[in-house]
Amino acid sequence: MSETHWTGRDGHGHKSGSIELRDIAGKPVLALSGVWSVPTAAALSRQIADLSLPSQGQVGIDLTQVSVMDTSGAWLIHGLMVDLKKNGAAPTLENLKEQHAPLMHLVEGAVANPDESIHSKSTSPLRLLEITGEATIAALSKGRELTNFVGMLTVSFLRAVKSPSRLRPISIVNQLELTGLRAIPIIGLLSFLIGVTLAYLMADQFRAYGLDVFTVNVLGIFVLREAGVLITAIVIAGRSGSAFTAEIGTMKVNEELDALRTLGLDPVEVLVLPRVLALVITLPFLAFWADLMGLLGGGMMTMLVLDMTPLQFVQQLKEAVNLKTFMVGLVKAPVHAYIIAVVGCFEGFKVQRSAESVGKQTTTSVVEAIFLVIVATAAFSVMFSVLGI
């Protein structure tokens, strides 16, 4: 029996594994032993590169003496088998330990079925059609899941109405503060600045045609009907909607949702319902605040550019708008709030158990919420136009 033996240590002082080429009954056998892991991978790679591999016939790879194996070691062993096949030999794994078998099978499966996403794909028209179909199916699937989530939320709400003790006042009040009171400064500032910008642009255009006074009319109608509530909804989607996703997603990563279910509590009732109720309550008040600040900013710029007095501005605004104009904008606020809260919580429950997934779903929730809010705004506009409001 002939034998060739390699062993040693890697550059960091870790004891390497070893490879012995044995000739047993005329059959070459590679006997592996020791530690096959990340710390020893470099030394093992050099040993394999220096090894004179058999070039024909059956070659056994004996793993009886392998004490430790991780993914790096499994990849090295798999690579050794590939090299033997390229050399014309027929390698077989022998005495693979039970604890190492799943790792070897995982590596073999990854090589046999590589992830298609890492390969370049055709840019032909058929591929474009395939991408469109995949996106459509994904959107329909998400729509179905979101509908199911809305159904669960509705059931939880009806259960809470039937039994008010299920409501959690402390949670609702806490969310009122987080989504409402703390959002007042940013909503007010943005609305004020947008009012200033709109008034300046409109005054500049109307002045060229001698229609200065209509600046107040357009400003009042646009801010009260559309701009105030839309700006508020977009800011809240980026601020509170993303927070809902991150909070619930982090709880899922930390297995806190599983703990709630173990305690017999419904996560939708405990986490989602207070957030939805709080946002539906606060968004109309924030929209009202945005209307006031938008008109204040626009009024100041109008008086400055057009040399109007505050009394003239108020009188013209009173002629241009009425309570119906204000209510048309305000009625959208609860709908926008419901959309933002539901989408934010829904994406939170879709988070996988990783920090990367939390960030991904948070971004997705903001994009989806803003998109649906704008769609709802367009739908309201069409409905009000049909109704003549």
Side-chain angles (χ1 to χ4, degrees):
M1 180 181 70
S2 64
E3 177 180 298
T4 305
H5 178 239
W6 290 264
T7 187
R9 295 177 181 270
D10 66 1
H12 300 283
H14 298 283
K15 181 174 174 53
S16 299
S18 64
I19 307 174
E20 297 180 17
L21 178 58
R22 300 173 180 174
D23 185 356
I24 302 178
K27 174 184 176 182
V29 175
L30 291 171
L32 313 184
S33 63
V35 177
W36 287 67
S37 62
V38 171
T40 63
L44 288 169
S45 296
R46 290 191 294 269
Q47 293 176 26
I48 293 173
D50 296 338
L51 187 63
S52 297
L53 297 176
S55 58
Q56 60 184 356
Q58 295 286 332
V59 178
I61 300 179
D62 187 5
L63 306 178
T64 305
Q65 299 300 322
V66 174
S67 58
V68 177
M69 181 195 298
D70 65 7
T71 308
S72 297
W75 273 110
L76 287 174
I77 295 171
H78 179 78
L80 180 60
M81 295 180 66
V82 171
D83 291 342
L84 286 168
K85 290 178 181 178
K86 290 180 179 179
N87 227 23
T92 57
L93 288 178
E94 300 176 359
N95 302 315
L96 177 62
K97 294 181 179 179
E98 184 178 354
Q99 64 266 32
H100 298 157
L103 193 57
M104 285 301 306
H105 295 157
L106 183 63
V107 170
E108 291 171 358
V111 174
N113 301 289
D115 187 356
E116 293 185 0
S117 64
I118 65 176
H119 298 288
S120 61
K121 297 185 177 180
S122 172
T123 57
S124 65
L126 288 178
R127 176 55 188 160
L128 181 61
L129 183 62
E130 180 185 351
I131 293 173
T132 303
E134 290 174 351
T136 302
I137 292 174
L140 292 174
S141 176
K142 175 163 283 192
R144 183 185 61 185
E145 294 175 359
L146 185 57
T147 302
N148 292 338
F149 185 76
V150 170
M152 289 191 295
L153 177 59
T154 303
V155 171
S156 296
F157 176 72
L158 294 176
R159 191 186 300 129
V161 171
K162 183 178 179 180
S163 178
S165 60
R166 290 179 173 271
L167 292 174
R168 290 167 169 76
I170 296 178
S171 296
I172 294 175
V173 171
N174 181 53
Q175 292 300 324
L176 287 173
E177 178 188 356
L178 294 175
T179 62
L181 291 177
R182 297 190 182 183
I184 287 176
I186 185 64
I187 295 291
L189 178 60
L190 287 178
S191 299
F192 180 85
L193 294 176
I194 290 176
V196 169
T197 304
L198 288 173
Y200 175 78
L201 293 175
M202 289 186 293
D204 190 51
Q205 293 299 315
F206 285 140
R207 186 167 45 193
Y209 299 96
L211 302 174
D212 301 12
V213 70
F214 286 104
T215 301
V216 181
N217 297 51
V218 177
L219 176 69
I221 293 172
F222 183 67
V223 169
L224 293 179
R225 286 182 66 107
E226 303 293 344
V229 66
L230 184 59
I231 293 168
T232 303
I234 291 175
V235 173
I236 292 299
R239 184 183 180 278
S240 299
S242 61
F244 292 170
T245 303
E247 290 165 0
I248 295 177
T250 303
M251 293 181 70
K252 186 172 183 180
V253 171
N254 294 336
E255 300 183 353
E256 294 176 51
L257 298 184
D258 296 334
L260 285 175
R261 294 187 180 97
T262 302
L263 294 172
L265 299 174
D266 181 7
V268 174
E269 182 180 301
V270 174
L271 301 175
V272 179
L273 193 56
R275 286 171 167 79
V276 173
L277 291 177
L279 201 58
V280 169
I281 293 171
T282 59
L283 196 59
F285 290 100
L286 291 174
F288 175 69
W289 171 246
D291 290 343
L292 292 179
M293 295 303 294
L295 291 177
L296 177 61
M300 291 178 61
M301 180 55 66
T302 301
M303 289 182 283
L304 180 63
V305 174
L306 302 181
D307 197 24
M308 297 179 65
T309 65
L311 182 59
Q312 289 174 324
F313 176 82
V314 172
Q315 288 177 341
Q316 186 63 32
L317 183 64
K318 184 178 178 181
E319 294 177 5
V321 301
N322 51 36
L323 181 62
K324 184 179 73 173
T325 308
F326 170 71
M327 293 305 299
V328 164
L330 201 62
V331 75
K332 304 174 187 177
V335 178
H336 292 345
Y338 185 80
I339 291 172
I340 294 167
V342 168
V343 170
C345 295
F346 169 72
E347 292 298 339
F349 280 99
K350 287 181 66 65
V351 168
Q352 304 300 316
R353 299 185 186 278
S354 68
E356 179 185 4
S357 181
V358 174
K360 179 181 177 181
Q361 297 305 132
T362 300
T363 303
T364 301
S365 73
V366 174
V367 174
E368 287 181 356
I370 293 176
F371 172 76
L372 292 176
V373 162
I374 294 175
V375 169
T377 300
F380 271 116
S381 298
V382 173
M383 182 181 68
F384 291 147
S385 177
V386 171
L387 296 177
I389 300 176

